[in-house]
Amino acid sequence: DAGVTQSPTHLIKTRGQQVTLRCSPKSGHDTVSWYQQALGQGPQFIFQYYEEEERQRGNFPDRFSGHQFPNYSSELNVNALLLGDSALYLCATLRSRLAGSSYNEQFFGPGTRLTVL
Amino acid sequence: SQKIEQNSEALNIQEGKTATLTCNYTNYSPAYLQWYRQDPGRGPVFLLLIRENEKEKRKERLKVTFDTTLKQSLFHITASQPADSATYLCALATYGGATNKLIFGTGTLLAVQP
């Protein structure tokens, strides 16, 4: 049973560029959340996708957008990159409450390390 | 303002001792609280979840308590081992909206000395 996978592992971009990060959920999971983790900080919630729709959003600008596909995988897009966007981007997946009793347990992927120069 | 605070300084303990990590929160009404382990450059790994109506949860050498009056959770690792060295994150989830949105503390670095 594959866990949560993310790609790429590392990415280097320059200011103003755009980036797309990808996440495949753990088998049986249908809900995907994205988090940003700056060095020395805890992860911060960006947004969550369920049934291909954004369900809730954290305090992030519109430069951050996402998508969920019918197979539950997800993408995070960041436009007009800033130096401050450098961070570890984490994807977390879970089984929605409608699908089972363990809906509260979230499983994280290994993350994508984004460096903006 | 809303805050989640964990021991900001690293916790150093001797192998075999019990490590106790603290998570305090302010101005939240969490539905449940989770503890994660994170190794450098890796994603957090889920350890334990405790709901608002539970006082204590155990899993092998791990124990977590939840006191909604004190607004505090304690995380214990008994018979600690050098392999337990990592950063431990607490995260809470509140009612309403996407209840699985997690709000994390900054984490506590645990170092277990052999």
Side-chain angles (χ1 to χ4, degrees):
Chain A
D1 173 26
V4 181
T5 60
Q6 291 186 245
S7 63
T9 306
H10 296 88
L11 206 50
I12 299 175
K13 292 285 188 178
T14 56
R15 280 178 295 173
Q17 285 189 309
Q18 178 265 344
V19 69
T20 297
L21 310 181
R22 296 177 177 80
C23 171
S24 291
K26 180 178 169 64
S27 176
H29 287 191
D30 55 7
T31 302
V32 177
S33 299
W34 286 92
Y35 291 81
Q36 180 195 66
Q37 187 176 24
L39 206 58
Q41 302 296 314
Q44 289 207 334
F45 177 81
I46 303 175
F47 41 53
Q48 182 179 82
Y49 278 84
Y50 171 64
E51 290 187 332
E52 301 179 49
E53 289 189 15
E54 182 182 298
R55 297 293 173 167
Q56 187 163 345
R57 189 178 186 90
N59 189 24
F60 280 81
D62 291 345
R63 298 187 296 110
F64 289 77
S65 63
H67 189 78
Q68 185 179 34
F69 300 93
N71 67 353
Y72 308 122
S73 66
S74 176
E75 286 182 350
L76 164 66
N77 300 293
V78 186
N79 294 321
L81 285 167
L82 303 174
L83 296 179
D85 294 332
S86 296
L88 181 67
Y89 287 85
L90 297 161
C91 158
T93 75
L94 58 94
R95 183 196 301 262
S96 71
R97 63 174 66 218
L98 296 176
S101 62
S102 63
Y103 63 87
N104 289 327
E105 294 185 20
Q106 297 198 45
F107 291 81
F108 282 80
T112 294
R113 171 70 61 187
L114 173 65
T115 302
V116 182
L117 302 176
Chain B
S1 63
Q2 295 176 316
K3 283 190 298 186
I4 303 173
E5 294 178 308
Q6 297 185 247
N7 313 60
S8 56
E9 295 182 8
L11 182 62
N12 291 286
I13 63 168
Q14 282 298 120
E15 183 175 5
K17 301 292 186 184
T18 296
T20 298
L21 285 68
T22 305
C23 177
N24 295 297
Y25 59 91
T26 308
N27 292 327
Y28 284 111
S29 295
Y32 58 89
L33 190 145
Q34 301 186 5
W35 283 88
Y36 287 83
R37 169 187 173 135
Q38 187 173 28
D39 292 289
R42 310 291 293 273
V45 174
F46 172 80
L47 297 175
L48 281 169
L49 178 153
I50 187 164
R51 303 183 194 283
E52 60 169 345
N53 59 349
E54 297 175 319
K55 297 292 185 187
E56 183 179 298
K57 264 290 185 59
R58 290 175 185 263
K59 179 183 176 183
E60 299 172 352
R61 295 185 294 112
L62 309 179
K63 184 178 84 170
V64 61
T65 62
F66 195 9
D67 189 326
T68 54
T69 302
L70 291 178
K71 298 186 184 301
Q72 180 182 79
S73 175
L74 298 178
F75 178 77
H76 307 271
I77 305 175
T78 58
S80 59
Q81 305 164 1
D84 295 326
S85 300
T87 295
Y88 291 85
L89 296 160
C90 79
L92 56 85
T94 57
Y95 285 115
T99 57
N100 296 295
K101 165 188 171 181
L102 295 177
I103 304 158
F104 283 87
T106 54
T108 297
L109 178 62
L110 172 66
V112 181
Q113 309 298 332

